[in-house]
Amino acid sequence: MLKHLFTIDSNKILDIDLTGIDLQRVPVHVAIIMDGNGRWANIRGKARTFGHQAGAETLKAIVKVANCIGVKIITAYAFSTENWKRPVSEVDFLMNLLGGYLTNEIEEFNKNGVQLRFIGSRRGLPDEILRKMDYAAAVTERNTGIILNLAINYGGRDEILYAVKTIATAAVAGQIDVDNIDTNIFEEHLYTKGLPAPDLLIRPGGDMRISNFLLWQIAYTEIWITDIYWPDFTQEYFIEAIKAYQRRERRFGGL
Ligand code: FPP
């Protein structure tokens, strides 16, 4: 099998088999529901939090390979508006994991040209996390590689309501003419403003649902689901998903 080597930075090299991938037709934007962390940990007799920790490592590996093959944006579902319903200990663990990630990975992100962005509601997030998010976004803002768009305290319905309220407020103030509200104006009021819709949505963990992720944006997104749990999701699986995507015919409602 033909292997291609890609240099990521001075001391890290990826060795990924890219046979069968058309590098001219790589999806621009890939969204990922990082599911299966808890089950992955359970079958190993470990606490669910162990799975989240492993899942955070998986995300790093997937961002690297995606950056390498020319994906421009990864949107990863790290914490949903519904995840607050989990036990306080798990919520606290996820917040700490996120805080640590934002502190410890900045240097590596900058080295690899990764730009960090966030979508979701700031309401309810601890101040320390908000500060770290703002700092991470600011210090990676000028990077020109892949955008890692982390969905934190994100819900698709919450995002749509946020857009509706913002537009309604502008309309009441006379800044927007109701007759002019169209998909473009609506999208300018979503958290994902300025980003194209995902081309591909990957869901590990085997569940066949959307879980309130990017409800507006995924109208014509290709979906790829695998039973593999997120911590076991390797760079090779990511390549497999890209190949499956490239075999699809996208018609966007046309013929
Ligand atoms: C869903 O799996 C996963 C989450 C709710 C959290 C995802 C978070 C991470 C992968 C790590 C944090 C990310 C960063 C950027 C530090 P689940 O726990 O619901 O799995 P299960 O369905 O097997 O229970």
Side-chain angles (χ1 to χ4, degrees), residues 36-53:
N37 298 339
R39 282 166 285 168
W40 181 89
N42 278 343
I43 57 174
R44 284 165 177 75
K46 309 251 191 192
R48 294 174 50 79
T49 49
F50 189 73
H52 294 317
Q53 197 143 21

Side-chain angles (χ1 to χ4, degrees), residues 48-68:
R48 294 174 50 79
T49 49
F50 189 73
H52 294 317
Q53 197 143 21
E57 293 303 312
T58 299
L59 181 60
K60 287 192 225 166
I62 297 310
V63 169
K64 273 191 185 142
V65 67
N67 199 12
C68 236

